[in-house]
Structures are given as C-alpha cells and as structure tokens.
Amino acid sequence: MLKQQIQDAMKAAMKAGEKDKLGVIRLIMAAIKQREVDERIELDDAQVLAVLDKMVKQRRDSISQYESAGREDLAEVERFEVGIIQAYLPTPLTDAEIAQMVDSAISETGAAAMSDMGKVMGILRPQIQGRADMGAVSALVKQRLGS
C-alpha cells in the first residue's frame, strides 16, 4: 500500500538524518491520519492519492501567491515540498494522453452539453486523480463540451 510506502520512507529519512524531507513526510502522514480520524476509516491507495493531490494543489497555490508577493524564499520551500509529495504520486499524464482520455470519456457518456460535465468528470476523476491537475482537466472538458 502507498501509505506503508510513505511510512517506510519516513523511517529511512529518520535514519539518514534528512530533516527537511522528514518534515514533509510527516506532513503527509498527518494529513492522511487526519482524514482517517475525521471519517473514521482506513484510507486505501486511491484516497491517499486524493490527499496527496490536494496537498500538491495547495502548495502550487501558495507558490503563485508567494511569487506575486516577491517572497521567493517561501516559494522555494513550497517547491521542495511539492517535489517530495510528487514522488509518491503516479507518473503525470501528458497533455496528449489527457486530451485522449477526455475525448473517450465524452464519447463513452454521450455528453453533448455543459449539463453533462458531471458525468464526464465522474469517469475521468478515478483515472486521472494524482496524475494531472484536475482544474486543467475540467477546463479542457468545458472547452470540448462548449464547442
């Protein structure tokens, strides 16, 4: 399981004395544990991926805010965290792969208008979660359904 892989990485970072990496991994474990406690469940790999994806999105938002405020030092810390978190995410999809998946989901659902966007995203989310920016995927679906 992915959760076990992260725990093993935490132990390895402790033994190696990698304090910065260890801090990020502890943040990941805390986010996973928080969701497990809140929902009273044991997270599976798909749910752990959703937590990691959310953490990356939050950090990307922070990076853009720090850069616009001229705080490159803080943006660099966030970039480091994104790099550590992304190590546990599957290989990102290319733009061409995303476009092909969107097109097949649209044809599979028979979507023809914006009102069908929920059906399309429902099919895409499990396939793409953690492998692409869902905001960009959503924008692509809107573009394809709007034309």
Side-chain angles (χ1 to χ4, degrees):
M1 278 184 58
L2 184 57
K3 186 175 152 187
Q4 184 61 47
Q5 180 185 351
I6 296 168
Q7 287 174 333
D8 293 342
M10 184 168 67
K11 291 174 189 171
M14 278 185 209
K15 288 179 182 175
E18 299 172 321
K19 290 185 178 185
D20 294 337
K21 184 176 180 180
L22 179 60
V24 177
I25 295 172
R26 283 184 171 152
L27 287 173
I28 293 169
M29 290 305 298
I32 291 169
K33 185 60 81 178
Q34 183 66 48
R35 179 134 178 240
E36 287 179 338
V37 168
D38 289 349
E39 298 180 19
R40 293 183 172 89
I41 58 170
E42 182 80 20
L43 296 184
D44 62 14
D45 280 355
Q47 293 165 321
V48 170
L49 281 177
V51 169
L52 294 174
D53 200 33
K54 182 179 178 185
M55 291 179 77
V56 168
K57 182 181 184 310
Q58 289 169 336
R59 276 149 186 82
R60 285 190 178 138
D61 291 343
S62 296
I63 290 169
S64 65
Q65 290 175 2
Y66 288 143
E67 286 174 343
S68 66
R71 294 298 308 265
E72 192 57 39
D73 56 329
L74 295 175
E76 193 57 41
V77 170
E78 296 291 325
R79 282 190 204 96
F80 175 76
E81 290 182 5
V82 166
I84 300 295
I85 296 167
Q86 283 182 327
Y88 302 105
L89 292 172
T91 307
L93 295 168
T94 64
D95 291 340
E97 290 172 324
I98 294 169
Q100 191 258 333
M101 291 174 91
V102 167
D103 291 340
S104 66
I106 288 173
S107 64
E108 185 180 324
T109 59
M114 289 300 290
S115 59
D116 298 323
M117 185 167 172
K119 292 181 206 172
V120 176
M121 290 303 291
I123 288 176
L124 288 173
R125 189 166 284 110
Q127 298 171 359
I128 294 180
Q129 187 76 48
R131 299 179 69 196
D133 178 13
M134 291 306 290
V137 173
S138 177
L140 182 61
V141 171
K142 285 179 185 174
Q143 177 190 357
R144 297 279 165 89
L145 292 179
S147 56

